[in-house]
Amino acid sequence: MAKKWVGTSIKRKEDASMLTGEATYVDDMQLPGMLHCAILRSDYAHANIKSIDVSEARKLPGVIDIITGEDVKEYPLAAAVEFAHFDLKSPVKQAYLLAVDRALYAGQPIAAVAAVDKYIAEDALDLIQVHYEPLTPVVSMEQALSEDAPLIYEEWGDNVQMQVPSKAGDVDAAFAEADRVIKVKIGEHRYCAFPLEGRAAIADYKPRTGKLHTWISSQASSAPRANFAKTLKIPEQNVSVTVPHVGGAFGTKLNWSVETIPCLLSKRTGRPVKYVENKIETFTIGPHARDYVFNGEVACKNDGTILGVKADVMFDLGIESSYRGTAIAKCVILLKTFLGQYKIKNYSFLSRAIVTNKAFQCSYRAFGKEQGSRFIERIMNIVARELGISPEEIRLKNYIQPEEFPYRTTSGALYDSGDYPGTLKRVLEMADIPSLRKEQARLEEEGRYLMGIGIASFVQPSGSAVPDGYLNGMEGATLKLLPEGGFILSTAHCTLGQGIETTLSQVVADEFTVTPEDVRVIIGDSDKAPYSSGGFASRGAAWVVGAAVTVSRKLKEKVLRFGAHVLKVEADEVELKDGKIQVKRDPAKSVSLHELATSVHFWPGAIGVLPDEFLYTDPSLDATAYWTAPNPPVSWAAPINLYCTHPNGAEVSTILIDKETGKITVPKRFVVYDCGTLINPDIVKHQYIGGALQGINGILNEELCYDENGQLTTTTYMDYLIPGSHEMLGETVFEHQETPSPFTPLGCKGMGEAGTFCSVSSVMNAVEDALGITITKTPLKPQTVLDYVKEAMEKGTLNRRREW
Amino acid sequence: MKKTITMTVNGQIMKAEVEPRTLLIDCLRDQLGLSGAKVGCVVGKCGACTIILNGLTVKSCMMFAVQADGAEIMTIEGLAGDGELHPMQQAFTDKSAVQCGFCTSGMVLTATQLAKDHPNASEEEIKDAIGGHICRCTGYVAIVDAIKEGCKRMSEQQG
């Protein structure tokens, strides 16, 4: 099929509505009689709740309802992920949408008010009296694992929610055979996305019919329908979830426990209830992300061949994460994805999820996959430096080669395609390392700045189907050819800023030889489309496009047969061209899609135009279809492939360290990225660049700081250093490569999370290049950087000879 | 005790009944139905609520509605002409500067104001001008490009 629109950077269809204020987000909606919800949060990180007195608050005019832990006991939260096949060491038996009897972190919702306006709802919170009995909080992983640590979930006997070992090959033999064993300790601090639009929900429960309609800012519409239904004990067929425009998500809007609070208030009051969290709630309630430490050992030969890796990984989850968030799945995903682009046959890993009295974790661009990638990419550079070989050479020595695809890693992942050496060589060529080295020497001579040059590469597992829970893969779409010749594609996927309405219309347009303007995409409504797992794990270009192509081809087959019947020829004698069905050998004989659709629907109508075999079975010009990736994961027990596509890329980042202030800037970056067949190259490029700032600023400036009492001290954009225009990265020289995936219908690979993988690895490697020492502490805020500069000066590593 | 205020919003005279503590952003969005300005952080840091008030860009979450009594206001809804985007809006879509759209209305209004005051703004001046806005999606690169282009188009249109 000729591609006309796929591969073209058409301007986004979404933009005009966003640029004019027409686009609707949850908080832009108002329903008649709507109440407003405000949430009282725990003052303590860990405390028994002895009593809650809401009597004064109830007397405030305008307050309609108040709920506390007592009112939610009959509504235990439905789990988001469960690991039936795994030894989930310590399952939490029940979790609730408000704290019941005990508060587990500062900021945990403990009571909620519904009032006639949001000001009165907030006033009412001040009148609620809570009698706390403070308990000792657990504020670090070290403390959590210590002998005398307070237990957050007493029934567990310790503070470990999950402990997953993973092994492949013969790691002991690999270490025995090694020329060198190099120890590596890396980690990251706690930080997260905090999108401009926080949590937002409107719940409208109709007591007479028992129907609940919710509008939420979310990455999925089908899964929360089941979640709300199960938690609130409403039959799922009576629950509707609509996701309008979403003001950023990045993985953080895949948990719905807080959104259930306005749902319950609506169920109790019989009135619509809106909850829009303020930014302090965005920070304190969570979700959070990262906050892990790797202690690893690498067995290698002197020539750089990696023989085996051992590692112990610990995640600081905050409170449990199987009901509120899905973070325990990260511990497993990391084990399946950390091998990156390398042929590492032997490894032994232990991944542990530790609970503390902090906000819960969920996903954040890219749900553990970026952690595995950063680990292996840092290892490559650290080991290369120890061995005195170049970071390029060590990668080329260990890469999977282009002719080896599809490639099954020892952890079970099945890589689709790519040219890893080619991608790396191209980015090095673009960067012109020798001239960068000259510039580095010149700046060192001058004295004020230290320049670093960092290379890194990555494979980006995307398009997940994670068994046991809402992250499972199921993706359907419905396509209709309307009487006047236009198309409507319906998907319950969500629009988070990825431009998916544009890209899907490009895909359908090509299938029917029409234009993207002929295709309207309806998105984010559980009522209007078949089941969709949602917008996470870079699923769009793999699964949603997969469903769009499959449904297009299903409808196309019908359209061609109808058209052939009208043209009085056989179906194999016609083809689609320029929006017409035409006879191949006589193109003058044709019927346009518009004419065909009109004749089927109206003049003369299906009875007059369709042959009996369609008239009495399926006279419609609609189709519904699902797409499932090949090589799906079957069970957690075996080595499994969780992601159907594996884009890859390589980067060179240059950084400058100001020796006087400790500030790090990133003046220039070079990126080569391959996500298979491109649908809209500009959309890919700009999502990548945006993701890179998220990644890099996260590692440099952002930090969620808890004090010794378990109080979060960074609770607004004022004290949490979200990147502004002055943190903008310097120039990015960006180049696409296209190695189609054999596993998706158009060869596309999911890309949304790509920007956060390699950006961090290449910048960290650049900092180490500048200083000549290994960085173990993040974020790299100025004071930390100054400490590292001092360390490097003392060790004399600043002016060492660089090997590449 | 509610007060009646009168404002000229996007060229139309509008009245609203507000509590003294009602924020201007809430009055515009909830009472006047102009939801293009967004509630982002309510501490004046993110710029999503930006409007133009008496010729100046203002964060409408940092003002009480009563303080805007008698003011002339333009919100994002008032920027585009009939059926056509304003040159700054057009530059934003042409330069791929929109992703989730939540910061967009504020960014565009600040950018049009910059273009009027400094039609030849340098990259540094553009970064300074949008220093009070947060975008979590784009990394600002496309936005800065779009503002450069928008400034150029606006001055061409006037010249």
Side-chain angles (χ1 to χ4, degrees):
Chain A
M1 185 197 65
K3 286 192 292 180
K4 183 173 176 191
W5 299 104
V6 170
T8 312
S9 294
I10 63 166
K11 293 302 150 204
R12 299 194 338 160
K13 289 177 147 191
E14 295 89 338
D15 289 5
S17 74
M18 291 169 171
L19 283 159
T20 54
E22 187 180 286
T24 302
Y25 301 78
V26 171
D27 193 22
D28 300 340
M29 296 175 55
Q30 297 189 53
L31 299 181
M34 190 168 76
L35 303 176
H36 295 262
C37 167
I39 290 176
L40 184 71
R41 307 178 304 274
S42 173
D43 292 330
Y44 289 92
H46 197 189
N48 285 323
I49 298 168
K50 305 299 281 183
S51 65
I52 303 178
D53 180 358
V54 299
S55 56
E56 285 304 309
R58 279 197 181 275
K59 287 181 203 155
L60 187 71
V63 170
I64 307 297
D65 195 15
I66 300 176
I67 53 172
T68 66
E70 282 304 309
D71 304 301
V72 303
K73 281 183 176 167
E74 59 182 300
Y75 301 109
L77 289 169
V81 284
E82 286 173 3
F83 288 109
H85 305 284
F86 252 109
D87 178 23
L88 175 57
K89 193 184 148 297
S90 300
V92 174
K93 288 189 188 70
Q94 264 165 359
Y96 297 94
L97 43 120
L98 297 172
V100 172
D101 304 333
R102 195 154 57 106
L104 296 178
Y105 69 98
Q108 183 178 9
I110 57 173
V113 174
V116 293
D117 77 39
K118 62 183 177 184
Y119 293 73
I120 294 172
E122 293 277 344
D123 290 344
L125 297 184
D126 293 339
L127 300 173
I128 298 175
Q129 300 288 328
V130 184
H131 178 200
Y132 294 101
E133 179 185 63
L135 301 168
T136 308
V138 178
V139 294
S140 71
M141 289 194 275
E142 294 72 31
Q143 187 197 352
L145 294 176
S146 68
E147 285 289 307
D148 55 347
L151 295 178
I152 299 176
Y153 300 92
E154 276 172 19
E155 64 276 18
W156 296 0
D158 61 19
N159 288 317
V160 182
Q161 186 173 13
M162 194 174 192
Q163 182 162 308
V164 191
S166 184
K167 260 183 182 184
D170 186 342
V171 81
D172 292 335
F175 273 73
E177 193 191 325
D179 294 331
R180 296 277 303 270
V181 172
I182 294 163
K183 289 196 175 182
V184 183
K185 183 185 174 187
I186 66 160
E188 280 181 78
H189 55 288
R190 201 173 190 87
Y191 61 102
C192 201
F194 308 116
L196 216 45
E197 183 205 34
R199 240 183 222 100
I202 296 173
D204 185 15
Y205 182 78
K206 302 286 189 201
R208 302 281 172 253
T209 55
K211 286 185 182 155
L212 173 69
H213 195 151
T214 66
W215 290 260
I216 54 175
S217 180
S218 166
Q219 290 173 242
S221 65
S222 304
R225 178 181 64 195
N227 191 274
F228 292 143
K230 213 169 159 185
T231 299
L232 294 166
K233 305 184 201 302
I234 300 171
E236 187 179 354
Q237 63 273 24
N238 290 344
V239 179
S240 306
V241 176
T242 304
V243 178
H245 284 285
V246 172
F250 314 111
T252 64
K253 292 177 179 173
L254 274 171
N255 58 91
W256 307 288
S257 64
V258 182
E259 288 82 343
T260 315
I261 295 171
C263 293
L264 179 58
L265 286 165
S266 180
K267 192 174 182 224
R268 287 163 57 101
T269 59
R271 292 172 67 170
V273 177
K274 180 193 269 190
Y275 172 65
V276 177
E277 73 180 3
N278 62 44
K279 271 291 166 291
I280 293 175
E281 288 168 327
T282 310
F283 283 92
T284 56
I285 292 179
H288 294 171
R290 313 283 197 259
D291 206 348
Y292 64 92
V293 62
F294 276 97
N295 272 300
E297 284 182 273
V298 185
C300 58
K301 287 191 180 168
N302 284 331
D303 69 357
T305 306
I306 307 286
L307 300 172
V309 180
K310 286 189 213 172
D312 178 347
V313 199
M314 293 198 303
F315 290 85
D316 184 340
L317 284 183
I319 62 160
E320 71 82 25
S321 182
S322 49
Y323 290 89
R324 292 171 181 84
T326 53
I328 47 167
K330 274 199 255 191
C331 311
V332 184
I333 283 166
L334 178 115
L335 299 173
K336 300 289 170 196
T337 59
F338 86 97
L339 293 169
Q341 300 169 301
Y342 309 104
K343 292 193 274 192
I344 299 172
K345 302 286 184 198
N346 311 293
Y347 69 84
S348 161
F349 249 72
L350 180 66
S351 180
R352 282 184 290 170
I354 316 292
V355 292
T356 58
N357 291 111
K358 298 178 188 170
F360 68 96
Q361 281 220 20
C362 196
S363 39
Y364 173 34
R365 220 174 187 173
F367 203 38
K369 306 181 293 281
E370 81 297 348
Q371 293 171 13
S373 174
R374 291 169 192 178
F375 175 62
I376 203 74
E377 288 303 309
R378 296 285 306 284
I379 280 184
M380 287 295 155
N381 276 45
I382 291 167
V383 171
R385 196 163 54 242
E386 291 277 330
L387 296 176
I389 62 175
S390 77
E392 172 191 352
E393 191 184 337
I394 192 168
R395 285 179 172 78
L396 291 171
K397 191 162 279 299
N398 291 285
Y399 271 156
I400 296 158
Q401 297 299 309
E403 64 278 8
E404 294 178 273
F405 291 101
Y407 182 89
R408 177 78 71 175
T409 71
T410 45
S411 67
L414 187 66
Y415 292 174
D416 43 2
S417 62
D419 177 4
Y420 302 165
T423 306
L424 180 66
K425 285 174 185 165
R426 178 62 195 140
V427 82
L428 292 172
E429 198 176 284
M430 284 158 57
D432 186 5
I433 302 290
S435 75
L436 291 178
R437 286 289 180 217
K438 275 186 204 149
E439 175 68 3
Q440 187 177 35
R442 188 186 68 77
L443 284 166
E444 267 177 30
E445 194 81 3
E446 272 183 19
R448 170 81 185 253
Y449 295 101
L450 290 167
M451 179 174 162
I453 303 159
I455 75 165
S457 60
F458 69 118
V459 63
Q460 180 217 338
S462 63
S464 71
V466 180
D468 297 338
Y470 296 146
L471 308 180
N472 209 330
M474 192 181 236
E475 198 66 45
T478 294
L479 184 63
K480 298 176 185 179
L481 173 53
L482 306 177
E484 291 297 313
F487 290 87
I488 289 182
L489 179 78
S490 311
T491 163
H493 192 74
C494 300
T495 179
L496 321 166
Q498 336 85 312
I500 190 113
E501 293 177 53
T502 306
T503 45
L504 288 177
S505 68
Q506 288 177 262
V507 165
V508 175
D510 267 359
E511 293 293 326
F512 285 93
T513 66
V514 295
T515 71
E517 291 308 311
D518 296 319
V519 185
R520 179 179 154 213
V521 178
I522 295 181
I523 216 155
D525 197 315
S526 69
D527 277 357
K528 292 181 184 158
Y531 193 93
S532 164
S533 292
F536 57 86
S538 307
R539 294 179 75 259
W543 288 80
V544 187
V545 168
V549 172
T550 308
V551 76
S552 293
R553 291 179 184 170
K554 189 172 174 185
L555 180 59
K556 189 160 67 179
E557 194 185 323
K558 214 170 2 168
V559 163
L560 286 172
R561 291 177 70 176
F562 287 9
H565 179 77
V566 169
L567 296 168
K568 298 186 171 53
V569 294
E570 294 300 317
D572 59 3
E573 293 177 74
V574 294
E575 63 185 354
L576 259 173
K577 201 168 179 206
D578 301 331
K580 289 181 299 195
I581 300 145
Q582 62 185 33
V583 178
K584 289 180 199 164
R585 62 186 146 73
D586 182 9
K589 267 180 84 178
S590 69
V591 55
S592 71
L593 289 168
H594 183 176
E595 288 163 343
L596 180 74
T598 302
S599 68
V600 169
H601 286 95
F602 301 140
W603 293 286
I607 296 170
V609 76
L610 291 184
D612 284 0
E613 75 251 38
F614 289 112
L615 188 57
Y616 295 106
T617 53
D618 181 9
S620 79
L621 286 172
D622 317 343
T624 292
Y626 283 75
W627 184 77
T628 302
N631 320 298
V634 183
S635 140
W636 282 106
I640 56 170
N641 179 47
L642 296 175
Y643 297 89
C644 66
T645 59
H646 289 83
N648 72 283
E651 294 190 0
V652 174
S653 282
T654 62
I655 61 107
L656 289 180
I657 298 172
D658 185 326
K659 275 157 76 179
E660 283 178 27
T661 65
K663 186 176 165 65
I664 294 179
T665 50
V666 186
K668 196 157 185 181
R669 285 166 35 78
F670 303 86
V671 177
V672 177
Y673 181 54
D674 184 346
C675 59
T677 306
L678 289 159
I679 300 171
N680 188 315
D682 271 6
I683 285 181
V684 169
K685 176 180 161 183
H686 287 287
Q687 274 187 53
Y688 193 108
I689 288 174
L693 181 63
Q694 266 191 347
I696 292 169
N697 193 72
I699 207 77
L700 296 183
N701 294 319
E702 295 168 38
E703 186 176 20
L704 290 160
C705 300
Y706 278 91
D707 69 12
E708 66 280 10
N709 299 314
Q711 294 290 339
L712 186 68
T713 59
T714 46
T715 58
T716 69
Y717 285 152
M718 305 292 271
D719 39 28
Y720 180 91
L721 298 176
I722 210 98
S725 53
H726 289 285
E727 280 70 46
M728 183 176 132
L729 304 173
E731 186 192 354
T732 302
V733 182
F734 190 99
E735 198 171 286
H736 296 284
Q737 286 187 346
E738 282 188 88
T739 314
S741 173
F743 299 156
T744 58
L746 299 182
C748 307
K749 305 178 186 180
M751 66 72 50
E753 295 157 301
T756 58
F757 277 70
C758 202
S759 57
V760 170
S761 319
S762 63
V763 163
M764 292 299 281
N765 288 342
V767 174
E768 292 189 350
D769 178 72
L771 299 175
I773 53 173
T774 300
I775 305 292
T776 55
K777 193 177 164 199
T778 65
L780 289 175
K781 290 185 180 181
Q783 187 54 53
T784 309
V785 175
L786 288 177
D787 292 344
Y788 275 125
V789 170
K790 196 169 157 228
E791 184 189 327
M793 285 166 87
E794 282 164 11
K795 286 185 177 166
T797 54
L798 281 184
N799 298 311
R800 77 198 187 288
R801 191 174 71 88
R802 292 180 176 87
E803 299 293 338
W804 57 294
Chain B
M1 180 65 179
K2 289 198 173 179
K3 291 194 180 289
T4 303
I5 57 169
T6 308
M7 303 173 286
T8 306
V9 185
N10 300 330
Q12 287 186 317
I13 297 171
M14 291 188 169
K15 278 191 192 310
E17 296 267 312
V18 294
E19 297 278 351
R21 67 175 177 173
T22 303
L23 297 176
L24 179 55
I25 180 77
D26 289 336
C27 172
L28 291 170
R29 288 172 51 84
D30 300 342
Q31 293 193 36
L32 304 184
L34 296 166
S35 59
K38 305 299 178 199
V39 181
C41 65
V42 204
V43 293
K45 178 79 179 157
C46 81
C49 64
T50 300
I51 59 164
I52 295 174
L53 184 138
N54 295 337
L56 296 171
T57 51
V58 160
K59 291 177 176 176
S60 61
C61 76
M62 302 306 289
M63 267 183 85
F64 293 113
V66 290
Q67 292 175 290
D69 192 13
E72 191 158 326
I73 287 173
M74 186 172 75
T75 67
I76 192 69
E77 288 89 345
L79 187 62
D82 285 338
E84 255 185 42
L85 294 178
H86 180 275
M88 187 60 78
Q89 290 169 321
Q90 190 61 48
F92 266 64
T93 184
D94 290 347
K95 294 289 176 184
S96 306
V98 185
Q99 287 190 30
C100 84
F102 207 78
C103 74
T104 305
S105 59
M107 286 277 189
V108 168
L109 287 178
T110 293
T112 54
Q113 211 58 18
L114 173 74
K116 279 180 199 155
D117 302 342
H118 304 280
N120 300 312
S122 67
E123 181 159 326
E124 273 314 301
E125 287 168 324
I126 293 172
K127 284 188 192 175
D128 286 344
I130 59 167
H133 291 260
I134 288 171
C135 164
R136 211 58 182 116
C137 302
T138 63
Y140 301 98
V141 176
I143 291 176
V144 170
D145 264 4
I147 295 175
K148 261 186 230 165
E149 180 65 24
C151 287
K152 200 173 116 200
R153 290 183 193 176
M154 278 174 70
S155 59
E156 277 167 11
Q157 203 181 46
Q158 277 159 10

